[in-house]
């Protein structure tokens, strides 16, 4: 009896079909990742608009800036009866503390200045103007450095929002145009506020161009300038009037600063 041996290898046609299928799968994965990232970037613009609207609505209703209002405990009760102790006490439910009422979310570590940065989100949530529940307290070392416990998490992967007033800061880190309150988006940065570089220059340029002027040192939306050691690849120079986004840099190199109007 004569036996026919089985073929032990693929034909060229079969190999071609396999390669085509693999190519389609890889292309589909990459395309899916691109679509997810695009959706995340669109969410940044939506979230920013939400914070601005919520803050304006809060001011119209309570005649104060969230986090800075002096009578917050009249509405939501106090985390502690002693003001100084209240600022280091995490309340239950909507319990909170009062701000100093100077119209500014100040930079500083004394009194209740920095606490206002975190009570800002807590007051907005207590008023039902944003989703979530926030402690109103800073993280370790007076910073928010661990989670979304006291600042909103963005749909942009691994990032948080933050609010501050940079009227007293300057230099290469912040353009002169950002000498005001601003919202920021950045990645978790242990031991500091959310300042991790989370956006590619092209991505922030795209957001800036759609919502503002496309210039990192001017307008409502800005970023780190080139001389800042923490983000040397985001922009081309440290001169606010001439700086451009470093579009040829393909890695995450930027954090965004979004003007608030207050």
């Amino acid at each position: 009896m004569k036996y026919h041996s089985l073929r032990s290898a693929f034909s060229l046609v079969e190999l071609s079909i396999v390669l085509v299928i693999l190519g389609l799968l890889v292309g589909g994965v990459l395309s899916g990742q691109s679509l997810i990232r695009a959706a995340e970037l669109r969410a940044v613009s939506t979230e920013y608009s939400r914070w601005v609207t919520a803050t304006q609505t809060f001011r119209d209703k309570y005649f104060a800036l969230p986090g800075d209002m002096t009578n917050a405990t009249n509405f939501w009760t106090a985390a502690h009866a002693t003001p100084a102790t209240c600022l280091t006490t995490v309340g239950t439910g909507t319990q909170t503390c009062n701000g100093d009422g100077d119209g500014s979310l100040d930079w500083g570590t004394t009194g209740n200045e920095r606490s206002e940065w975190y009570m800002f989100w807590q007051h907005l949530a207590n008023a039902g103007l944003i989703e979530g529940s926030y402690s109103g307290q800073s993280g370790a070392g007076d910073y928010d450095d661990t989670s979304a416990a006291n600042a909103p998490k963005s749909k942009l992967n691994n990032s948080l929002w933050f609010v501050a007033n940079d009227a007293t800061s300057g230099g290469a880190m912040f353009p002169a145009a950002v000498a005001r309150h601003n919202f920021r988006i950045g990645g978790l940065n242990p031991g500091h506020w959310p300042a991790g570089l989370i956006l590619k220059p092209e991505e922030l340029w795209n957001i800036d161009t759609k919502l503002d002027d496309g210039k990192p040192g001017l307008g409502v939306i800005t970023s780190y300038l080139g001389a800042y050691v923490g983000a040397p690849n985001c922009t081309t120079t440290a001169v606010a009037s001439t700086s451009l986004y470093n579009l040829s840099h393909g890695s995450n190199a930027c954090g965004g600063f979004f003007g608030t109007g207050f």
Side-chain angles (χ1 to χ4, degrees):
M1 183 179 291
K2 185 176 180 180
Y3 294 92
H4 295 282
S5 61
L6 296 174
R7 290 180 299 169
S8 59
F10 289 109
S11 69
L12 290 176
V13 173
E14 291 169 331
L15 286 173
S16 298
I17 293 173
V18 171
L19 291 174
V20 169
I21 293 173
L22 289 175
L24 291 173
L25 290 174
V26 171
V29 170
L30 294 176
S31 178
Q33 291 175 338
S34 178
L35 290 173
I36 291 172
R37 184 65 174 181
E40 291 177 348
L41 294 173
R42 287 195 298 271
V44 170
S45 300
T46 302
E47 290 164 351
Y48 163 56
S49 297
R50 185 183 305 147
W51 310 146
V52 172
T53 300
T55 304
Q56 292 171 339
T57 302
F58 187 99
R59 297 182 75 184
D60 289 341
K61 182 177 181 178
Y62 297 101
F63 308 102
L65 183 67
D68 183 60
M69 68 185 298
T70 58
N71 61 343
T73 57
N74 292 347
F75 291 94
W76 302 299
T77 71
H80 195 280
T82 304
T85 305
C86 185
L87 297 173
T88 58
T89 303
V90 178
T92 59
T94 59
Q95 289 179 335
T96 187
C97 304
N98 294 326
D100 60 16
D102 67 353
S104 173
L105 304 175
D106 300 310
W107 175 279
T109 57
T110 60
N112 61 355
E113 289 181 338
R114 184 161 286 160
S115 297
E116 291 181 358
W117 294 2
Y118 307 108
M119 289 192 299
F120 175 89
W121 302 110
Q122 185 186 51
H123 290 176
L124 285 178
N126 284 355
L129 296 173
I130 64 172
E131 296 179 351
S133 177
Y134 304 99
S135 70
Q137 303 290 313
S138 64
D142 293 322
Y143 296 107
D144 175 19
D145 62 354
T146 54
S147 70
N150 52 11
K153 186 176 181 180
S154 173
K155 289 185 179 180
L156 185 67
N157 193 33
N158 294 322
S159 66
L160 292 174
W161 283 93
F162 189 73
V163 66
N165 177 18
D166 294 312
T168 57
S169 65
M173 184 174 178
F174 306 114
V178 189
R180 46 165 162 59
H181 290 105
N182 58 87
F183 294 114
R184 308 178 195 172
I185 190 168
L188 292 176
N189 189 23
H192 217 352
W193 54 73
L197 305 180
I198 200 69
L199 292 161
K200 297 176 183 178
E202 181 181 354
E203 293 174 335
L204 187 53
W205 167 81
N206 190 283
I207 294 172
D208 194 340
T209 300
K210 289 178 179 177
L211 299 181
D212 194 25
D213 58 5
K215 299 177 180 179
L218 300 173
V220 175
I221 299 174
T222 56
S223 187
Y224 298 108
L225 294 186
Y228 176 51
V229 66
N233 297 311
C234 182
T235 60
T236 56
T237 73
V239 180
S241 61
T242 59
S243 188
L244 302 173
Y245 288 102
N246 186 12
L247 300 179
S248 63
H249 189 80
S251 300
N252 289 346
C254 299
F257 302 85
F258 296 74
T260 62
F262 62 82

mmCIF file with all atom_site columns, all heavy atoms in Angstrom, residues 65-87:
data_model
loop_
_atom_site.group_PDB
_atom_site.id
_atom_site.type_symbol
_atom_site.label_atom_id
_atom_site.label_alt_id
_atom_site.label_comp_id
_atom_site.label_asym_id
_atom_site.label_entity_id
_atom_site.label_seq_id
_atom_site.pdbx_PDB_ins_code
_atom_site.Cartn_x
_atom_site.Cartn_y
_atom_site.Cartn_z
_atom_site.occupancy
_atom_site.B_iso_or_equiv
_atom_site.pdbx_formal_charge
_atom_site.auth_seq_id
_atom_site.auth_comp_id
_atom_site.auth_asym_id
_atom_site.auth_atom_id
_atom_site.pdbx_PDB_model_num
ATOM 1   N N   . LEU A 1 65 ? -16.084 83.230 45.795 1.00 0.00 ? 65 LEU A N   1
ATOM 2   C CA  . LEU A 1 65 ? -15.291 82.274 45.030 1.00 0.00 ? 65 LEU A CA  1
ATOM 3   C C   . LEU A 1 65 ? -15.231 80.960 45.793 1.00 0.00 ? 65 LEU A C   1
ATOM 4   O O   . LEU A 1 65 ? -14.923 80.957 46.996 1.00 0.00 ? 65 LEU A O   1
ATOM 5   C CB  . LEU A 1 65 ? -13.876 82.836 44.825 1.00 0.00 ? 65 LEU A CB  1
ATOM 6   C CG  . LEU A 1 65 ? -12.886 82.020 43.988 1.00 0.00 ? 65 LEU A CG  1
ATOM 7   C CD1 . LEU A 1 65 ? -13.359 81.969 42.536 1.00 0.00 ? 65 LEU A CD1 1
ATOM 8   C CD2 . LEU A 1 65 ? -11.498 82.646 44.076 1.00 0.00 ? 65 LEU A CD2 1
ATOM 9   N N   . PRO A 1 66 ? -15.546 79.831 45.168 1.00 0.00 ? 66 PRO A N   1
ATOM 10  C CA  . PRO A 1 66 ? -15.464 78.546 45.888 1.00 0.00 ? 66 PRO A CA  1
ATOM 11  C C   . PRO A 1 66 ? -14.070 78.348 46.464 1.00 0.00 ? 66 PRO A C   1
ATOM 12  O O   . PRO A 1 66 ? -13.072 78.639 45.822 1.00 0.00 ? 66 PRO A O   1
ATOM 13  C CB  . PRO A 1 66 ? -15.796 77.502 44.823 1.00 0.00 ? 66 PRO A CB  1
ATOM 14  C CG  . PRO A 1 66 ? -15.655 78.206 43.507 1.00 0.00 ? 66 PRO A CG  1
ATOM 15  C CD  . PRO A 1 66 ? -15.936 79.645 43.759 1.00 0.00 ? 66 PRO A CD  1
ATOM 16  N N   . GLY A 1 67 ? -14.022 77.869 47.686 1.00 0.00 ? 67 GLY A N   1
ATOM 17  C CA  . GLY A 1 67 ? -12.751 77.703 48.388 1.00 0.00 ? 67 GLY A CA  1
ATOM 18  C C   . GLY A 1 67 ? -12.363 78.913 49.193 1.00 0.00 ? 67 GLY A C   1
ATOM 19  O O   . GLY A 1 67 ? -11.706 78.801 50.227 1.00 0.00 ? 67 GLY A O   1
ATOM 20  N N   . ASP A 1 68 ? -12.785 80.087 48.745 1.00 0.00 ? 68 ASP A N   1
ATOM 21  C CA  . ASP A 1 68 ? -12.419 81.345 49.398 1.00 0.00 ? 68 ASP A CA  1
ATOM 22  C C   . ASP A 1 68 ? -13.563 81.918 50.230 1.00 0.00 ? 68 ASP A C   1
ATOM 23  O O   . ASP A 1 68 ? -13.353 82.833 51.022 1.00 0.00 ? 68 ASP A O   1
ATOM 24  C CB  . ASP A 1 68 ? -12.001 82.360 48.322 1.00 0.00 ? 68 ASP A CB  1
ATOM 25  C CG  . ASP A 1 68 ? -11.528 83.677 48.885 1.00 0.00 ? 68 ASP A CG  1
ATOM 26  O OD1 . ASP A 1 68 ? -10.546 83.674 49.648 1.00 0.00 ? 68 ASP A OD1 1
ATOM 27  O OD2 . ASP A 1 68 ? -12.140 84.711 48.564 1.00 0.00 ? 68 ASP A OD2 1
ATOM 28  N N   . MET A 1 69 ? -14.772 81.386 50.090 1.00 0.00 ? 69 MET A N   1
ATOM 29  C CA  . MET A 1 69 ? -15.951 81.965 50.731 1.00 0.00 ? 69 MET A CA  1
ATOM 30  C C   . MET A 1 69 ? -15.863 81.871 52.255 1.00 0.00 ? 69 MET A C   1
ATOM 31  O O   . MET A 1 69 ? -15.420 80.859 52.812 1.00 0.00 ? 69 MET A O   1
ATOM 32  C CB  . MET A 1 69 ? -17.232 81.321 50.214 1.00 0.00 ? 69 MET A CB  1
ATOM 33  C CG  . MET A 1 69 ? -17.443 79.870 50.593 1.00 0.00 ? 69 MET A CG  1
ATOM 34  S SD  . MET A 1 69 ? -18.920 79.145 49.812 1.00 0.00 ? 69 MET A SD  1
ATOM 35  C CE  . MET A 1 69 ? -20.240 80.147 50.501 1.00 0.00 ? 69 MET A CE  1
ATOM 36  N N   . THR A 1 70 ? -16.275 82.938 52.922 1.00 0.00 ? 70 THR A N   1
ATOM 37  C CA  . THR A 1 70 ? -16.117 83.019 54.374 1.00 0.00 ? 70 THR A CA  1
ATOM 38  C C   . THR A 1 70 ? -17.266 82.392 55.157 1.00 0.00 ? 70 THR A C   1
ATOM 39  O O   . THR A 1 70 ? -17.165 82.228 56.377 1.00 0.00 ? 70 THR A O   1
ATOM 40  C CB  . THR A 1 70 ? -16.003 84.497 54.803 1.00 0.00 ? 70 THR A CB  1
ATOM 41  O OG1 . THR A 1 70 ? -17.186 85.204 54.375 1.00 0.00 ? 70 THR A OG1 1
ATOM 42  C CG2 . THR A 1 70 ? -14.771 85.148 54.188 1.00 0.00 ? 70 THR A CG2 1
ATOM 43  N N   . ASN A 1 71 ? -18.351 82.043 54.500 1.00 0.00 ? 71 ASN A N   1
ATOM 44  C CA  . ASN A 1 71 ? -19.510 81.497 55.207 1.00 0.00 ? 71 ASN A CA  1
ATOM 45  C C   . ASN A 1 71 ? -19.898 80.109 54.697 1.00 0.00 ? 71 ASN A C   1
ATOM 46  O O   . ASN A 1 71 ? -21.070 79.719 54.769 1.00 0.00 ? 71 ASN A O   1
ATOM 47  C CB  . ASN A 1 71 ? -20.697 82.449 55.103 1.00 0.00 ? 71 ASN A CB  1
ATOM 48  C CG  . ASN A 1 71 ? -21.144 82.697 53.669 1.00 0.00 ? 71 ASN A CG  1
ATOM 49  O OD1 . ASN A 1 71 ? -20.396 82.418 52.727 1.00 0.00 ? 71 ASN A OD1 1
ATOM 50  N ND2 . ASN A 1 71 ? -22.356 83.209 53.492 1.00 0.00 ? 71 ASN A ND2 1
ATOM 51  N N   . ALA A 1 72 ? -18.950 79.350 54.200 1.00 0.00 ? 72 ALA A N   1
ATOM 52  C CA  . ALA A 1 72 ? -19.245 78.011 53.670 1.00 0.00 ? 72 ALA A CA  1
ATOM 53  C C   . ALA A 1 72 ? -19.824 77.103 54.735 1.00 0.00 ? 72 ALA A C   1
ATOM 54  O O   . ALA A 1 72 ? -20.707 76.279 54.463 1.00 0.00 ? 72 ALA A O   1
ATOM 55  C CB  . ALA A 1 72 ? -17.972 77.393 53.088 1.00 0.00 ? 72 ALA A CB  1
ATOM 56  N N   . THR A 1 73 ? -19.351 77.244 55.979 1.00 0.00 ? 73 THR A N   1
ATOM 57  C CA  . THR A 1 73 ? -19.832 76.352 57.040 1.00 0.00 ? 73 THR A CA  1
ATOM 58  C C   . THR A 1 73 ? -21.283 76.646 57.412 1.00 0.00 ? 73 THR A C   1
ATOM 59  O O   . THR A 1 73 ? -21.955 75.799 58.003 1.00 0.00 ? 73 THR A O   1
ATOM 60  C CB  . THR A 1 73 ? -18.938 76.464 58.292 1.00 0.00 ? 73 THR A CB  1
ATOM 61  O OG1 . THR A 1 73 ? -18.900 77.831 58.726 1.00 0.00 ? 73 THR A OG1 1
ATOM 62  C CG2 . THR A 1 73 ? -17.517 76.001 57.981 1.00 0.00 ? 73 THR A CG2 1
ATOM 63  N N   . ASN A 1 74 ? -21.773 77.848 57.062 1.00 0.00 ? 74 ASN A N   1
ATOM 64  C CA  . ASN A 1 74 ? -23.193 78.137 57.300 1.00 0.00 ? 74 ASN A CA  1
ATOM 65  C C   . ASN A 1 74 ? -24.090 77.296 56.409 1.00 0.00 ? 74 ASN A C   1
ATOM 66  O O   . ASN A 1 74 ? -25.222 76.968 56.783 1.00 0.00 ? 74 ASN A O   1
ATOM 67  C CB  . ASN A 1 74 ? -23.482 79.623 57.044 1.00 0.00 ? 74 ASN A CB  1
ATOM 68  C CG  . ASN A 1 74 ? -22.827 80.533 58.057 1.00 0.00 ? 74 ASN A CG  1
ATOM 69  O OD1 . ASN A 1 74 ? -22.349 80.079 59.093 1.00 0.00 ? 74 ASN A OD1 1
ATOM 70  N ND2 . ASN A 1 74 ? -22.780 81.822 57.760 1.00 0.00 ? 74 ASN A ND2 1
ATOM 71  N N   . PHE A 1 75 ? -23.570 76.940 55.245 1.00 0.00 ? 75 PHE A N   1
ATOM 72  C CA  . PHE A 1 75 ? -24.339 76.133 54.295 1.00 0.00 ? 75 PHE A CA  1
ATOM 73  C C   . PHE A 1 75 ? -24.124 74.640 54.498 1.00 0.00 ? 75 PHE A C   1
ATOM 74  O O   . PHE A 1 75 ? -25.057 73.849 54.342 1.00 0.00 ? 75 PHE A O   1
ATOM 75  C CB  . PHE A 1 75 ? -23.954 76.514 52.862 1.00 0.00 ? 75 PHE A CB  1
ATOM 76  C CG  . PHE A 1 75 ? -24.391 77.889 52.445 1.00 0.00 ? 75 PHE A CG  1
ATOM 77  C CD1 . PHE A 1 75 ? -23.530 78.969 52.568 1.00 0.00 ? 75 PHE A CD1 1
ATOM 78  C CD2 . PHE A 1 75 ? -25.667 78.107 51.937 1.00 0.00 ? 75 PHE A CD2 1
ATOM 79  C CE1 . PHE A 1 75 ? -23.928 80.248 52.178 1.00 0.00 ? 75 PHE A CE1 1
ATOM 80  C CE2 . PHE A 1 75 ? -26.069 79.378 51.546 1.00 0.00 ? 75 PHE A CE2 1
ATOM 81  C CZ  . PHE A 1 75 ? -25.202 80.455 51.667 1.00 0.00 ? 75 PHE A CZ  1
ATOM 82  N N   . TRP A 1 76 ? -22.890 74.241 54.827 1.00 0.00 ? 76 TRP A N   1
ATOM 83  C CA  . TRP A 1 76 ? -22.559 72.808 54.815 1.00 0.00 ? 76 TRP A CA  1
ATOM 84  C C   . TRP A 1 76 ? -21.974 72.309 56.134 1.00 0.00 ? 76 TRP A C   1
ATOM 85  O O   . TRP A 1 76 ? -21.497 71.183 56.192 1.00 0.00 ? 76 TRP A O   1
ATOM 86  C CB  . TRP A 1 76 ? -21.587 72.525 53.657 1.00 0.00 ? 76 TRP A CB  1
ATOM 87  C CG  . TRP A 1 76 ? -22.171 72.933 52.336 1.00 0.00 ? 76 TRP A CG  1
ATOM 88  C CD1 . TRP A 1 76 ? -23.302 72.451 51.756 1.00 0.00 ? 76 TRP A CD1 1
ATOM 89  C CD2 . TRP A 1 76 ? -21.671 73.932 51.449 1.00 0.00 ? 76 TRP A CD2 1
ATOM 90  N NE1 . TRP A 1 76 ? -23.538 73.069 50.548 1.00 0.00 ? 76 TRP A NE1 1
ATOM 91  C CE2 . TRP A 1 76 ? -22.552 73.990 50.333 1.00 0.00 ? 76 TRP A CE2 1
ATOM 92  C CE3 . TRP A 1 76 ? -20.562 74.787 51.456 1.00 0.00 ? 76 TRP A CE3 1
ATOM 93  C CZ2 . TRP A 1 76 ? -22.362 74.859 49.261 1.00 0.00 ? 76 TRP A CZ2 1
ATOM 94  C CZ3 . TRP A 1 76 ? -20.375 75.658 50.391 1.00 0.00 ? 76 TRP A CZ3 1
ATOM 95  C CH2 . TRP A 1 76 ? -21.260 75.703 49.315 1.00 0.00 ? 76 TRP A CH2 1
ATOM 96  N N   . THR A 1 77 ? -22.013 73.084 57.176 1.00 0.00 ? 77 THR A N   1
ATOM 97  C CA  . THR A 1 77 ? -21.490 72.798 58.520 1.00 0.00 ? 77 THR A CA  1
ATOM 98  C C   . THR A 1 77 ? -19.970 72.626 58.510 1.00 0.00 ? 77 THR A C   1
ATOM 99  O O   . THR A 1 77 ? -19.356 72.396 57.471 1.00 0.00 ? 77 THR A O   1
ATOM 100 C CB  . THR A 1 77 ? -22.150 71.553 59.165 1.00 0.00 ? 77 THR A CB  1
ATOM 101 O OG1 . THR A 1 77 ? -21.697 70.366 58.503 1.00 0.00 ? 77 THR A OG1 1
ATOM 102 C CG2 . THR A 1 77 ? -23.669 71.639 59.099 1.00 0.00 ? 77 THR A CG2 1
ATOM 103 N N   . ALA A 1 78 ? -19.378 72.738 59.676 1.00 0.00 ? 78 ALA A N   1
ATOM 104 C CA  . ALA A 1 78 ? -17.921 72.775 59.811 1.00 0.00 ? 78 ALA A CA  1
ATOM 105 C C   . ALA A 1 78 ? -17.343 71.407 60.145 1.00 0.00 ? 78 ALA A C   1
ATOM 106 O O   . ALA A 1 78 ? -17.922 70.629 60.916 1.00 0.00 ? 78 ALA A O   1
ATOM 107 C CB  . ALA A 1 78 ? -17.524 73.770 60.898 1.00 0.00 ? 78 ALA A CB  1
ATOM 108 N N   . ALA A 1 79 ? -16.200 71.112 59.548 1.00 0.00 ? 79 ALA A N   1
ATOM 109 C CA  . ALA A 1 79 ? -15.479 69.881 59.877 1.00 0.00 ? 79 ALA A CA  1
ATOM 110 C C   . ALA A 1 79 ? -14.940 69.940 61.298 1.00 0.00 ? 79 ALA A C   1
ATOM 111 O O   . ALA A 1 79 ? -14.751 68.905 61.943 1.00 0.00 ? 79 ALA A O   1
ATOM 112 C CB  . ALA A 1 79 ? -14.341 69.662 58.892 1.00 0.00 ? 79 ALA A CB  1
ATOM 113 N N   . HIS A 1 80 ? -14.686 71.163 61.791 1.00 0.00 ? 80 HIS A N   1
ATOM 114 C CA  . HIS A 1 80 ? -14.252 71.369 63.175 1.00 0.00 ? 80 HIS A CA  1
ATOM 115 C C   . HIS A 1 80 ? -14.619 72.794 63.566 1.00 0.00 ? 80 HIS A C   1
ATOM 116 O O   . HIS A 1 80 ? -14.521 73.712 62.751 1.00 0.00 ? 80 HIS A O   1
ATOM 117 C CB  . HIS A 1 80 ? -12.752 71.138 63.324 1.00 0.00 ? 80 HIS A CB  1
ATOM 118 C CG  . HIS A 1 80 ? -12.320 70.978 64.748 1.00 0.00 ? 80 HIS A CG  1
ATOM 119 N ND1 . HIS A 1 80 ? -12.123 72.055 65.585 1.00 0.00 ? 80 HIS A ND1 1
ATOM 120 C CD2 . HIS A 1 80 ? -12.061 69.865 65.499 1.00 0.00 ? 80 HIS A CD2 1
ATOM 121 C CE1 . HIS A 1 80 ? -11.751 71.627 66.783 1.00 0.00 ? 80 HIS A CE1 1
ATOM 122 N NE2 . HIS A 1 80 ? -11.715 70.299 66.758 1.00 0.00 ? 80 HIS A NE2 1
ATOM 123 N N   . ALA A 1 81 ? -15.021 72.986 64.821 1.00 0.00 ? 81 ALA A N   1
ATOM 124 C CA  . ALA A 1 81 ? -15.478 74.296 65.270 1.00 0.00 ? 81 ALA A CA  1
ATOM 125 C C   . ALA A 1 81 ? -14.362 75.327 65.325 1.00 0.00 ? 81 ALA A C   1
ATOM 126 O O   . ALA A 1 81 ? -14.602 76.525 65.158 1.00 0.00 ? 81 ALA A O   1
ATOM 127 C CB  . ALA A 1 81 ? -16.132 74.176 66.646 1.00 0.00 ? 81 ALA A CB  1
ATOM 128 N N   . THR A 1 82 ? -13.134 74.883 65.540 1.00 0.00 ? 82 THR A N   1
ATOM 129 C CA  . THR A 1 82 ? -11.996 75.793 65.595 1.00 0.00 ? 82 THR A CA  1
ATOM 130 C C   . THR A 1 82 ? -11.444 75.988 64.195 1.00 0.00 ? 82 THR A C   1
ATOM 131 O O   . THR A 1 82 ? -11.014 75.011 63.566 1.00 0.00 ? 82 THR A O   1
ATOM 132 C CB  . THR A 1 82 ? -10.890 75.248 66.513 1.00 0.00 ? 82 THR A CB  1
ATOM 133 O OG1 . THR A 1 82 ? -11.442 75.001 67.811 1.00 0.00 ? 82 THR A OG1 1
ATOM 134 C CG2 . THR A 1 82 ? -9.734  76.230 66.611 1.00 0.00 ? 82 THR A CG2 1
ATOM 135 N N   . PRO A 1 83 ? -11.451 77.213 63.650 1.00 0.00 ? 83 PRO A N   1
ATOM 136 C CA  . PRO A 1 83 ? -11.039 77.429 62.257 1.00 0.00 ? 83 PRO A CA  1
ATOM 137 C C   . PRO A 1 83 ? -9.674  76.855 61.908 1.00 0.00 ? 83 PRO A C   1
ATOM 138 O O   . PRO A 1 83 ? -9.523  76.208 60.862 1.00 0.00 ? 83 PRO A O   1
ATOM 139 C CB  . PRO A 1 83 ? -11.057 78.958 62.138 1.00 0.00 ? 83 PRO A CB  1
ATOM 140 C CG  . PRO A 1 83 ? -12.096 79.390 63.105 1.00 0.00 ? 83 PRO A CG  1
ATOM 141 C CD  . PRO A 1 83 ? -11.959 78.454 64.273 1.00 0.00 ? 83 PRO A CD  1
ATOM 142 N N   . ALA A 1 84 ? -8.674  77.071 62.741 1.00 0.00 ? 84 ALA A N   1
ATOM 143 C CA  . ALA A 1 84 ? -7.326  76.582 62.431 1.00 0.00 ? 84 ALA A CA  1
ATOM 144 C C   . ALA A 1 84 ? -7.292  75.061 62.383 1.00 0.00 ? 84 ALA A C   1
ATOM 145 O O   . ALA A 1 84 ? -6.623  74.462 61.533 1.00 0.00 ? 84 ALA A O   1
ATOM 146 C CB  . ALA A 1 84 ? -6.324  77.104 63.452 1.00 0.00 ? 84 ALA A CB  1
ATOM 147 N N   . THR A 1 85 ? -8.014  74.416 63.279 1.00 0.00 ? 85 THR A N   1
ATOM 148 C CA  . THR A 1 85 ? -8.058  72.955 63.314 1.00 0.00 ? 85 THR A CA  1
ATOM 149 C C   . THR A 1 85 ? -8.906  72.420 62.172 1.00 0.00 ? 85 THR A C   1
ATOM 150 O O   . THR A 1 85 ? -8.632  71.341 61.626 1.00 0.00 ? 85 THR A O   1
ATOM 151 C CB  . THR A 1 85 ? -8.622  72.468 64.656 1.00 0.00 ? 85 THR A CB  1
ATOM 152 O OG1 . THR A 1 85 ? -7.862  73.028 65.715 1.00 0.00 ? 85 THR A OG1 1
ATOM 153 C CG2 . THR A 1 85 ? -8.584  70.948 64.754 1.00 0.00 ? 85 THR A CG2 1
ATOM 154 N N   . CYS A 1 86 ? -9.916  73.177 61.800 1.00 0.00 ? 86 CYS A N   1
ATOM 155 C CA  . CYS A 1 86 ? -10.799 72.757 60.704 1.00 0.00 ? 86 CYS A CA  1
ATOM 156 C C   . CYS A 1 86 ? -10.006 72.506 59.429 1.00 0.00 ? 86 CYS A C   1
ATOM 157 O O   . CYS A 1 86 ? -10.288 71.562 58.680 1.00 0.00 ? 86 CYS A O   1
ATOM 158 C CB  . CYS A 1 86 ? -11.856 73.827 60.462 1.00 0.00 ? 86 CYS A CB  1
ATOM 159 S SG  . CYS A 1 86 ? -13.102 73.380 59.233 1.00 0.00 ? 86 CYS A SG  1
ATOM 160 N N   . LEU A 1 87 ? -8.988  73.340 59.198 1.00 0.00 ? 87 LEU A N   1
ATOM 161 C CA  . LEU A 1 87 ? -8.224  73.248 57.952 1.00 0.00 ? 87 LEU A CA  1
ATOM 162 C C   . LEU A 1 87 ? -7.406  71.971 57.836 1.00 0.00 ? 87 LEU A C   1
ATOM 163 O O   . LEU A 1 87 ? -6.928  71.637 56.756 1.00 0.00 ? 87 LEU A O   1
ATOM 164 C CB  . LEU A 1 87 ? -7.310  74.464 57.819 1.00 0.00 ? 87 LEU A CB  1
ATOM 165 C CG  . LEU A 1 87 ? -8.050  75.807 57.727 1.00 0.00 ? 87 LEU A CG  1
ATOM 166 C CD1 . LEU A 1 87 ? -7.064  76.956 57.777 1.00 0.00 ? 87 LEU A CD1 1
ATOM 167 C CD2 . LEU A 1 87 ? -8.887  75.864 56.464 1.00 0.00 ? 87 LEU A CD2 1
#
